[in-house]
């Protein structure tokens, strides 16, 4: 399956992803700048903040328990489509997912 | 057939060598024996980035839970640093909001700016001062006292308690003396906290103590006190050493400093300083099941040590790792750890030392110099940084 990351400056990167992985993990594995994932997906760092593309928002679903508290800590603006990418697991239906990256994570 | 070869045993490396000059040792281990049982420390050292990251990110196999370290005696409590799962989470989350960017931006950052101004005012222009002792340590103590909700504690008290707790927690030889000192520090902290708890009950504020005491479902008082002590033990030396390390790095790389003064983008200097010499160099995890790391069998019950100092210098991840280079393209250092125990003070450190202090220091003293870098001494195995930083303020 494939995921497309669109950086704040518009740079687009399409990567091959594995079902079951998180979006954060996929980005880090593929060296996508703009996702740090410093706490390894433990919902502790808020450096994996991303915006789910509007067209995919429903399929991905809303924030999990505890996510919004931590998103308050994110460095860039939090929008209704904001998610912690470590909390988005890739399911088959998410093949082709488009993720927008924030200006900065620190 | 599973391979049951144990990691090689090293009987030559001494704690003294690790304390004075660890980096050449780690370089050799990364190349020759990245998984090694080090006899003098009684731990299996992991010196490669990938292995350190794997261990930190896999808490189900590598537990922080080890109630039998000297830490318990030093802190007179089993603290969240040495717990796993929901218990750790509950205690950590109890004070999280006071350490999160919103509160930092609204409350701690403006306060830090003001305090930093006061401490910089005290420094004599044109003279040589030990910046480590006269700035890095006291400013770290002062802001922490406020964040924790015990501003009545003096810098000297905070620094003494912190060191007493650290020395006690690291007293793996179980000598009596460090515990006598940490017991004394506990008495003083307990007395002060008793009054502070009453105060924040009557007048809640955004401090960690107040947030914990006034929570809807508070954690037990014993754990509130333990959390404050953990933050005292873990919240002074690290930002202190980070600041001194970064200033040293910048003063010995004047071209980089010039560029930063021009761009005013200090964030990367902070990240590079903590990568270059990680304030917390190593941490332990208890192995819960037989596992294999780097082709070696690590038996259940073993204790592995992730050497983040070494991971941060891993040639597979960082170009010219031994060089302080603010402008490296990527800097995924492990200085704040990873996984559920990812440093709770990360945001505070980034937004105080990183975002405020560097800018203010070099604005106030644009011609600051380090007359003799050779006399700066570096120390520490578990925790590391310079122990002096004589600079000329100009
Ligand atoms: S990776 Fe740290 S919160 Fe997602």
């Amino acid at each position: 399956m494939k995921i497309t990351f669109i950086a704040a400056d518009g740079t687009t990167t399409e990567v091959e992803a594995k079902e079951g992985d998180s979006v954060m993990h996929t980005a880090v594995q593929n060296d996508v700048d703009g996702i740090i994932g410093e706490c390894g997906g433990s919902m502790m760092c808020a450096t994996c903040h991303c915006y789910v593309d509007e067209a995919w928002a429903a399929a991905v679903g809303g924030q999990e328990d505890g996510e919004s508290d931590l998103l308050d800590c994110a460095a860039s603006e939090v929008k209704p489509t904001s998610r912690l990418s470590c909390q988005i697991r890739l399911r088959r239906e998410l093949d082709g997912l488009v993720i927008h990256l924030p200006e900065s994570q620190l | 057939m599973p391979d049951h070869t144990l990691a090689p045993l090293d009987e030559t490396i001494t704690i003294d060598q690790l304390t004075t000059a660890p980096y050449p040792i780690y370089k050799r281990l990364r190349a020759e024996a990245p998984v090694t049982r080090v006899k003098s420390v009684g731990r299996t050292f992991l010196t490669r980035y990938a292995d350190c990251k794997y261990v930190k990110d896999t808490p189900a196999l590598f537990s922080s839970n080890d109630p039998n370290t000297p830490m318990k005696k030093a802190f007179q409590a089993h603290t969240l640093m040495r717990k796993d799962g929901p218990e750790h989470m509950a205690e950590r989350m109890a004070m999280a909001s006071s350490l999160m960017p919103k509160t930092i931006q609204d409350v701690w950052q403006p306060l830090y700016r003001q305090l930093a101004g006061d401490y910089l005012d005290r420094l004599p222009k044109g003279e040589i001062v030990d910046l480590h002792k006269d700035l890095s340590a006291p400013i770290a103590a002062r802001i922490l006292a406020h964040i924790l909700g015990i501003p009545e504690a003096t810098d000297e008290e905070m620094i003494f308690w912190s060191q007493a707790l650290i020395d006690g927690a690291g007293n793996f030889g179980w000598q009596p003396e460090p515990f006598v000192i940490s017991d004394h520090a506990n008495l003083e902290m307990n007395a002060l906290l008793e009054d502070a708890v009453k105060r924040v009950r009557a007048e809640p504020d955004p401090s960690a103590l107040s947030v914990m005491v006034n929570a809807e479902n508070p954690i037990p008082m014993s754990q509130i006190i333990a959390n404050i002590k953990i933050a005292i033990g873990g919240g002074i030396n690290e930002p202190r050493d980070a600041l001194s390390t970064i200033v040293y790095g910048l003063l010995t790389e004047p071209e980089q400093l010039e560029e930063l003064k021009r761009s005013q983008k200090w964030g990367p200097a902070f990240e590079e300083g903590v990568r270059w010499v990680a304030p917390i160099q190593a941490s332990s995890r208890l192995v819960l099941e037989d596992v294999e790391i780097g082709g070696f069998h690590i038996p259940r019950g073993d204790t592995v040590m992730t050497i983040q100092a070494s991971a941060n210098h891993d040639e597979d991840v960082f170009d010219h790792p031994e060089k302080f280079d603010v402008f490296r393209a990527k800097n995924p250092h492990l200085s704040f750890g990873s996984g559920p125990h990812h440093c709770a003070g990360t945001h505070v450190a980034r937004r105080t030392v990183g975002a405020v202090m560097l800018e203010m220091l070099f604005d106030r003293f644009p011609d600051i110099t380090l007359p003799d870098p050779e006399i700066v001494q570096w120390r520490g195995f578990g925790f590391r940084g310079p122990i002096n930083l004589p600079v000329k303020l100009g």
Side-chain angles (χ1 to χ4, degrees), chain B residues 160-161 164-165 180-190 229:
Chain B
F160 165 68
W161 296 336
L165 292 171
V180 172
I181 298 176
S182 58
D183 283 349
H184 180 73
N186 274 290
L187 275 181
E188 291 183 0
M189 286 185 283
N190 292 345
K229 289 177 184 172

Side-chain angles (χ1 to χ4, degrees), chain A residues 24 35-49 70 84-87, chain B residues 339 342:
Chain A
M24 179 279 285
I35 297 263
I36 301 179
E38 196 171 57
C39 76
S42 306
M43 277 230 273
M44 287 293 174
C45 72
T47 63
C48 64
H49 179 199
L70 198 63
L84 293 173
S85 61
C86 67
Q87 301 303 309
Chain B
H342 179 262

